[in-house]
Amino acid sequence: AEHQHARYNPLRDDWVLVSAHRVKRPWQGQLEKPPPEDVPRWDPKNPLCPGATRANGEVNPQYEGTFVFPNDFPALQPDAPEPGDSDHPLFRAAAARGVCKVMCFHPWSDLTLPLMSLAEIRAVIDAWAELAAELGASYPWVQIFENKGAMMGCSNPHPHCQVWASSFLPNEARLEDRTQRQHLSQHGVPMLLEYAEQEARRKERLVVENVDWLVVVPYWATWPYQTLLLPRRHVCRLQDLCDSERDSLASIMQRLLIKYDNLFEVSFPYSMGWHGAPTGPFLEEDCGHWQLHAHYYPPLLRSATVRKFMVGYEMLAQAQRDLTPEQAAERLRSLPKVHYKQRSK
């Protein structure tokens, strides 16, 4: 806890430098603006609101639950042409096709996931699983991800996520596929199943848990309050979860996100995403080395206005963090279970 050291990340086959003493250094750098607290519940000018008109002229229905629609500015399109042949191995290109969708969690713009009911969060999970199955029938990778907060590049405060399906395995997917395959081959058990069992026993990095799931600040965490959401049983894909596991997932997500908001009493920014076994042609293959999991990457370090910057050494050498994962987990674990906005004054 007091001396710098490096920790190995077996999921990414890389290392992170832990320098816990650096969190004490004075800060005269950039201060972020806290997220706005006065987001209107409905705004006809907000393209994600029910009944609003989007940039392409489409009018949203008066939706009352989740709402999925094609991204009006997609990074991937299904009919992109093949790139030309390369004349040198240092100048290679490959086809990249896919579809991009946006999913609104709720019709209200001022309601984030931790403030939604368990039934509403469960509806989000069901929509995720449905999209993962639908797009995964033909595409090898379906990436569900949420960027929450302007600090994480989110351009609209309305609660929503994105789903990108691609004709290729992205870098992180290929890396996790390789490391998990190697671990199963060498140790005879899926890496993250074994890891979850170890963390459930050790407790020191545990944040919240229930009968089906646990959330930890991983031993190799890079971001200050990074967490990893893991199922207790071996499950490869989101769409493989049974009803009771989806209910308990809604519960543990709510508990985690309430703690995040309570940490600095602010709507906590993060980027999160689900990783599971590849789909499309991989549905016919044995993907037993995979274990479903979700990553949460929040940038805040000391307060609602001081973030962790991944620059300099992190960009040119390797990741570095300013407090230990155990310290981060203890702080998150000790936070109240009731959201700060819902406590009686």
Side-chain angles (χ1 to χ4, degrees), residues 120-161:
E120 290 167 337
I121 299 174
R122 168 64 195 267
V124 170
I125 293 166
D126 287 341
W128 281 343
E130 183 178 345
L131 278 171
E134 173 192 334
L135 298 173
S138 53
Y139 287 101
W141 190 255
V142 180
Q143 183 60 64
I144 299 168
F145 65 98
E146 178 194 5
N147 294 323
K148 180 174 180 245
M151 199 181 302
M152 297 308 293
C154 183
S155 60
N156 192 308
H158 192 96
H160 71 285
C161 72

Short mmCIF file of all heavy atoms in Angstrom, two decimals, residues 120-161:
data_model
loop_
_atom_site.label_atom_id
_atom_site.label_comp_id
_atom_site.label_asym_id
_atom_site.label_seq_id
_atom_site.Cartn_x
_atom_site.Cartn_y
_atom_site.Cartn_z
N GLU A 120 -37.09 -1.72 -14.24
CA GLU A 120 -36.63 -0.94 -15.39
C GLU A 120 -35.22 -1.35 -15.80
O GLU A 120 -34.90 -1.42 -17.00
CB GLU A 120 -36.69 0.54 -15.06
CG GLU A 120 -38.13 1.08 -14.96
CD GLU A 120 -38.23 2.44 -14.32
OE1 GLU A 120 -37.30 2.83 -13.57
OE2 GLU A 120 -39.23 3.14 -14.57
N ILE A 121 -34.35 -1.63 -14.83
CA ILE A 121 -33.00 -2.10 -15.15
C ILE A 121 -33.07 -3.48 -15.79
O ILE A 121 -32.35 -3.78 -16.74
CB ILE A 121 -32.12 -2.11 -13.89
CG1 ILE A 121 -32.00 -0.70 -13.31
CG2 ILE A 121 -30.73 -2.65 -14.22
CD1 ILE A 121 -31.26 -0.65 -11.98
N ARG A 122 -33.96 -4.34 -15.28
CA ARG A 122 -34.14 -5.67 -15.87
C ARG A 122 -34.57 -5.54 -17.34
O ARG A 122 -34.14 -6.32 -18.20
CB ARG A 122 -35.16 -6.47 -15.06
CG ARG A 122 -35.66 -7.76 -15.72
CD ARG A 122 -34.55 -8.80 -15.91
NE ARG A 122 -34.98 -9.84 -16.83
CZ ARG A 122 -35.54 -10.99 -16.48
NH1 ARG A 122 -35.74 -11.26 -15.18
NH2 ARG A 122 -35.89 -11.88 -17.38
N ALA A 123 -35.41 -4.58 -17.66
CA ALA A 123 -35.83 -4.37 -19.05
C ALA A 123 -34.65 -3.99 -19.93
O ALA A 123 -34.56 -4.40 -21.10
CB ALA A 123 -36.91 -3.30 -19.11
N VAL A 124 -33.72 -3.21 -19.39
CA VAL A 124 -32.50 -2.86 -20.11
C VAL A 124 -31.68 -4.13 -20.38
O VAL A 124 -31.19 -4.34 -21.50
CB VAL A 124 -31.68 -1.83 -19.32
CG1 VAL A 124 -30.30 -1.64 -19.94
CG2 VAL A 124 -32.41 -0.49 -19.26
N ILE A 125 -31.51 -4.96 -19.37
CA ILE A 125 -30.75 -6.20 -19.52
C ILE A 125 -31.38 -7.10 -20.57
O ILE A 125 -30.68 -7.68 -21.42
CB ILE A 125 -30.65 -6.91 -18.16
CG1 ILE A 125 -29.80 -6.09 -17.19
CG2 ILE A 125 -30.07 -8.33 -18.33
CD1 ILE A 125 -29.90 -6.52 -15.75
N ASP A 126 -32.70 -7.23 -20.55
CA ASP A 126 -33.39 -8.05 -21.55
C ASP A 126 -33.18 -7.50 -22.95
O ASP A 126 -32.99 -8.25 -23.91
CB ASP A 126 -34.88 -8.13 -21.23
CG ASP A 126 -35.18 -9.01 -20.03
OD1 ASP A 126 -34.32 -9.84 -19.67
OD2 ASP A 126 -36.27 -8.85 -19.43
N ALA A 127 -33.21 -6.17 -23.08
CA ALA A 127 -32.98 -5.56 -24.40
C ALA A 127 -31.55 -5.79 -24.86
O ALA A 127 -31.29 -6.03 -26.05
CB ALA A 127 -33.31 -4.07 -24.35
N TRP A 128 -30.59 -5.71 -23.93
CA TRP A 128 -29.20 -6.03 -24.27
C TRP A 128 -29.09 -7.45 -24.81
O TRP A 128 -28.45 -7.69 -25.84
CB TRP A 128 -28.32 -5.89 -23.03
CG TRP A 128 -27.94 -4.49 -22.66
CD1 TRP A 128 -28.01 -3.37 -23.44
CD2 TRP A 128 -27.40 -4.08 -21.40
NE1 TRP A 128 -27.55 -2.28 -22.75
CE2 TRP A 128 -27.17 -2.68 -21.50
CE3 TRP A 128 -27.10 -4.73 -20.21
CZ2 TRP A 128 -26.65 -1.94 -20.43
CZ3 TRP A 128 -26.58 -4.00 -19.15
CH2 TRP A 128 -26.35 -2.62 -19.27
N ALA A 129 -29.67 -8.40 -24.07
CA ALA A 129 -29.57 -9.81 -24.47
C ALA A 129 -30.24 -10.04 -25.82
O ALA A 129 -29.73 -10.82 -26.65
CB ALA A 129 -30.20 -10.69 -23.38
N GLU A 130 -31.37 -9.39 -26.04
CA GLU A 130 -32.07 -9.56 -27.31
C GLU A 130 -31.23 -9.03 -28.47
O GLU A 130 -31.12 -9.67 -29.52
CB GLU A 130 -33.41 -8.83 -27.24
CG GLU A 130 -34.26 -8.98 -28.49
CD GLU A 130 -35.60 -8.29 -28.38
OE1 GLU A 130 -36.01 -7.93 -27.24
OE2 GLU A 130 -36.25 -8.10 -29.42
N LEU A 131 -30.62 -7.86 -28.29
CA LEU A 131 -29.77 -7.30 -29.34
C LEU A 131 -28.53 -8.16 -29.56
O LEU A 131 -28.10 -8.36 -30.71
CB LEU A 131 -29.35 -5.87 -28.97
CG LEU A 131 -30.36 -4.76 -29.26
CD1 LEU A 131 -29.89 -3.46 -28.63
CD2 LEU A 131 -30.54 -4.59 -30.76
N ALA A 132 -27.94 -8.66 -28.47
CA ALA A 132 -26.76 -9.50 -28.60
C ALA A 132 -27.07 -10.76 -29.40
O ALA A 132 -26.26 -11.19 -30.24
CB ALA A 132 -26.22 -9.87 -27.21
N ALA A 133 -28.24 -11.35 -29.17
CA ALA A 133 -28.63 -12.55 -29.90
C ALA A 133 -28.98 -12.21 -31.35
O ALA A 133 -28.58 -12.93 -32.28
CB ALA A 133 -29.81 -13.22 -29.20
N GLU A 134 -29.72 -11.14 -31.55
CA GLU A 134 -30.17 -10.77 -32.90
C GLU A 134 -28.98 -10.43 -33.80
O GLU A 134 -28.84 -10.97 -34.91
CB GLU A 134 -31.12 -9.58 -32.81
CG GLU A 134 -31.53 -8.99 -34.15
CD GLU A 134 -32.23 -7.65 -34.01
OE1 GLU A 134 -32.85 -7.40 -32.94
OE2 GLU A 134 -32.15 -6.85 -34.95
N LEU A 135 -28.11 -9.54 -33.34
CA LEU A 135 -26.97 -9.13 -34.15
C LEU A 135 -25.90 -10.22 -34.19
O LEU A 135 -25.19 -10.37 -35.19
CB LEU A 135 -26.39 -7.83 -33.61
CG LEU A 135 -27.33 -6.62 -33.65
CD1 LEU A 135 -26.70 -5.43 -32.94
CD2 LEU A 135 -27.67 -6.26 -35.09
N GLY A 136 -25.80 -10.97 -33.10
CA GLY A 136 -24.80 -12.03 -33.04
C GLY A 136 -25.11 -13.22 -33.91
O GLY A 136 -24.26 -14.09 -34.12
N ALA A 137 -26.32 -13.29 -34.44
CA ALA A 137 -26.66 -14.38 -35.35
C ALA A 137 -25.82 -14.32 -36.61
O ALA A 137 -25.56 -15.36 -37.25
CB ALA A 137 -28.15 -14.34 -35.69
N SER A 138 -25.37 -13.12 -36.99
CA SER A 138 -24.58 -12.98 -38.22
C SER A 138 -23.23 -12.31 -38.02
O SER A 138 -22.31 -12.56 -38.80
CB SER A 138 -25.39 -12.21 -39.27
OG SER A 138 -25.85 -10.97 -38.75
N TYR A 139 -23.10 -11.47 -37.00
CA TYR A 139 -21.84 -10.75 -36.80
C TYR A 139 -20.99 -11.43 -35.72
O TYR A 139 -21.51 -11.85 -34.68
CB TYR A 139 -22.10 -9.30 -36.40
CG TYR A 139 -22.60 -8.44 -37.54
CD1 TYR A 139 -23.95 -8.13 -37.67
CD2 TYR A 139 -21.71 -7.95 -38.49
CE1 TYR A 139 -24.40 -7.34 -38.72
CE2 TYR A 139 -22.15 -7.15 -39.54
CZ TYR A 139 -23.49 -6.86 -39.65
OH TYR A 139 -23.93 -6.08 -40.68
N PRO A 140 -19.68 -11.52 -35.92
CA PRO A 140 -18.81 -12.20 -34.94
C PRO A 140 -18.63 -11.45 -33.63
O PRO A 140 -18.29 -12.06 -32.62
CB PRO A 140 -17.48 -12.35 -35.68
CG PRO A 140 -17.51 -11.38 -36.79
CD PRO A 140 -18.95 -11.20 -37.17
N TRP A 141 -18.85 -10.14 -33.62
CA TRP A 141 -18.68 -9.40 -32.36
C TRP A 141 -19.79 -8.37 -32.21
O TRP A 141 -20.09 -7.62 -33.15
CB TRP A 141 -17.33 -8.69 -32.31
CG TRP A 141 -17.04 -8.11 -30.94
CD1 TRP A 141 -17.09 -6.82 -30.56
CD2 TRP A 141 -16.67 -8.85 -29.77
NE1 TRP A 141 -16.77 -6.68 -29.23
CE2 TRP A 141 -16.51 -7.93 -28.72
CE3 TRP A 141 -16.45 -10.20 -29.51
CZ2 TRP A 141 -16.14 -8.30 -27.44
CZ3 TRP A 141 -16.08 -10.58 -28.22
CH2 TRP A 141 -15.93 -9.64 -27.20
N VAL A 142 -20.40 -8.35 -31.02
CA VAL A 142 -21.43 -7.37 -30.68
C VAL A 142 -20.96 -6.66 -29.43
O VAL A 142 -20.87 -7.27 -28.36
CB VAL A 142 -22.81 -8.03 -30.45
CG1 VAL A 142 -23.84 -6.96 -30.10
CG2 VAL A 142 -23.25 -8.81 -31.68
N GLN A 143 -20.62 -5.38 -29.57
CA GLN A 143 -20.12 -4.62 -28.43
C GLN A 143 -21.21 -3.71 -27.88
O GLN A 143 -21.63 -2.74 -28.52
CB GLN A 143 -18.91 -3.78 -28.83
CG GLN A 143 -18.28 -3.02 -27.66
CD GLN A 143 -17.81 -3.96 -26.57
OE1 GLN A 143 -16.90 -4.76 -26.78
NE2 GLN A 143 -18.44 -3.88 -25.40
N ILE A 144 -21.65 -4.03 -26.67
CA ILE A 144 -22.58 -3.18 -25.93
C ILE A 144 -21.75 -2.29 -25.01
O ILE A 144 -20.93 -2.80 -24.24
CB ILE A 144 -23.56 -4.03 -25.11
CG1 ILE A 144 -24.40 -4.92 -26.02
CG2 ILE A 144 -24.45 -3.16 -24.23
CD1 ILE A 144 -25.19 -5.99 -25.29
N PHE A 145 -21.94 -0.98 -25.09
CA PHE A 145 -21.16 -0.10 -24.24
C PHE A 145 -21.96 1.16 -23.91
O PHE A 145 -22.81 1.60 -24.68
CB PHE A 145 -19.83 0.28 -24.89
CG PHE A 145 -19.93 1.09 -26.16
CD1 PHE A 145 -19.78 2.47 -26.12
CD2 PHE A 145 -20.17 0.48 -27.38
CE1 PHE A 145 -19.85 3.23 -27.29
CE2 PHE A 145 -20.24 1.22 -28.55
CZ PHE A 145 -20.10 2.60 -28.51
N GLU A 146 -21.66 1.71 -22.74
CA GLU A 146 -22.28 2.96 -22.29
C GLU A 146 -21.20 3.95 -21.92
O GLU A 146 -20.32 3.65 -21.10
CB GLU A 146 -23.18 2.72 -21.07
CG GLU A 146 -23.82 4.01 -20.53
CD GLU A 146 -24.45 3.86 -19.14
OE1 GLU A 146 -24.32 2.78 -18.54
OE2 GLU A 146 -25.05 4.85 -18.67
N ASN A 147 -21.24 5.13 -22.52
CA ASN A 147 -20.42 6.25 -22.09
C ASN A 147 -21.32 7.17 -21.27
O ASN A 147 -22.25 7.76 -21.82
CB ASN A 147 -19.84 7.01 -23.28
CG ASN A 147 -18.85 6.18 -24.07
OD1 ASN A 147 -18.10 5.41 -23.51
ND2 ASN A 147 -18.86 6.35 -25.38
N LYS A 148 -21.05 7.28 -19.99
CA LYS A 148 -21.90 8.10 -19.12
C LYS A 148 -21.16 9.36 -18.72
O LYS A 148 -20.06 9.32 -18.18
CB LYS A 148 -22.29 7.31 -17.87
CG LYS A 148 -23.18 8.10 -16.90
CD LYS A 148 -23.64 7.21 -15.75
CE LYS A 148 -24.52 8.02 -14.79
NZ LYS A 148 -23.89 8.16 -13.47
N GLY A 149 -21.76 10.51 -19.02
CA GLY A 149 -21.18 11.78 -18.61
C GLY A 149 -20.36 12.44 -19.71
O GLY A 149 -19.69 11.77 -20.50
N ALA A 150 -20.40 13.76 -19.72
CA ALA A 150 -19.65 14.53 -20.72
C ALA A 150 -18.15 14.26 -20.61
O ALA A 150 -17.42 14.31 -21.59
CB ALA A 150 -19.94 16.02 -20.55
N MET A 151 -17.67 13.97 -19.39
CA MET A 151 -16.26 13.70 -19.17
C MET A 151 -15.79 12.49 -19.97
O MET A 151 -14.61 12.36 -20.31
CB MET A 151 -16.01 13.48 -17.67
CG MET A 151 -14.56 13.64 -17.25
SD MET A 151 -14.34 13.34 -15.49
CE MET A 151 -15.44 14.56 -14.79
N MET A 152 -16.72 11.57 -20.26
CA MET A 152 -16.39 10.37 -21.03
C MET A 152 -16.84 10.49 -22.48
O MET A 152 -17.00 9.48 -23.18
CB MET A 152 -17.02 9.14 -20.37
CG MET A 152 -16.50 8.86 -18.98
SD MET A 152 -14.69 8.80 -18.87
CE MET A 152 -14.33 7.33 -19.82
N GLY A 153 -17.05 11.71 -22.94
CA GLY A 153 -17.35 11.92 -24.34
C GLY A 153 -18.80 11.75 -24.71
O GLY A 153 -19.14 11.73 -25.90
N CYS A 154 -19.68 11.61 -23.72
CA CYS A 154 -21.10 11.45 -24.01
C CYS A 154 -21.67 12.80 -24.45
O CYS A 154 -21.54 13.80 -23.74
CB CYS A 154 -21.83 10.93 -22.78
SG CYS A 154 -23.58 10.63 -23.06
N SER A 155 -22.34 12.82 -25.60
CA SER A 155 -22.82 14.08 -26.16
C SER A 155 -24.27 14.38 -25.78
O SER A 155 -24.79 15.43 -26.16
CB SER A 155 -22.70 14.04 -27.70
OG SER A 155 -23.48 12.98 -28.23
N ASN A 156 -24.91 13.47 -25.03
CA ASN A 156 -26.32 13.67 -24.69
C ASN A 156 -26.57 13.09 -23.30
O ASN A 156 -26.23 11.93 -23.04
CB ASN A 156 -27.21 12.97 -25.71
CG ASN A 156 -28.67 13.38 -25.60
OD1 ASN A 156 -29.27 13.33 -24.54
ND2 ASN A 156 -29.26 13.78 -26.72
N PRO A 157 -27.16 13.87 -22.37
CA PRO A 157 -27.35 13.39 -21.00
C PRO A 157 -28.45 12.34 -20.86
O PRO A 157 -28.57 11.71 -19.81
CB PRO A 157 -27.70 14.65 -20.22
CG PRO A 157 -28.36 15.54 -21.24
CD PRO A 157 -27.63 15.27 -22.52
N HIS A 158 -29.28 12.16 -21.88
CA HIS A 158 -30.37 11.17 -21.79
C HIS A 158 -29.76 9.78 -21.56
O HIS A 158 -28.78 9.42 -22.22
CB HIS A 158 -31.18 11.19 -23.08
CG HIS A 158 -32.47 10.44 -22.99
ND1 HIS A 158 -33.68 11.05 -22.70
CD2 HIS A 158 -32.75 9.11 -23.11
CE1 HIS A 158 -34.64 10.14 -22.67
NE2 HIS A 158 -34.09 8.96 -22.91
N PRO A 159 -30.31 8.98 -20.63
CA PRO A 159 -29.72 7.66 -20.33
C PRO A 159 -29.80 6.72 -21.53
O PRO A 159 -30.88 6.34 -21.97
CB PRO A 159 -30.56 7.15 -19.16
CG PRO A 159 -31.86 7.89 -19.27
CD PRO A 159 -31.52 9.24 -19.82
N HIS A 160 -28.64 6.35 -22.05
CA HIS A 160 -28.61 5.50 -23.24
C HIS A 160 -27.27 4.79 -23.37
O HIS A 160 -26.30 5.14 -22.67
CB HIS A 160 -28.86 6.33 -24.50
CG HIS A 160 -27.72 7.24 -24.88
ND1 HIS A 160 -27.44 8.41 -24.20
CD2 HIS A 160 -26.79 7.14 -25.87
CE1 HIS A 160 -26.39 8.99 -24.75
NE2 HIS A 160 -25.97 8.25 -25.76
N CYS A 161 -27.22 3.82 -24.25
CA CYS A 161 -25.98 3.14 -24.56
C CYS A 161 -25.92 2.93 -26.07
O CYS A 161 -26.84 3.30 -26.80
CB CYS A 161 -25.87 1.80 -23.84
SG CYS A 161 -26.98 0.52 -24.49
#
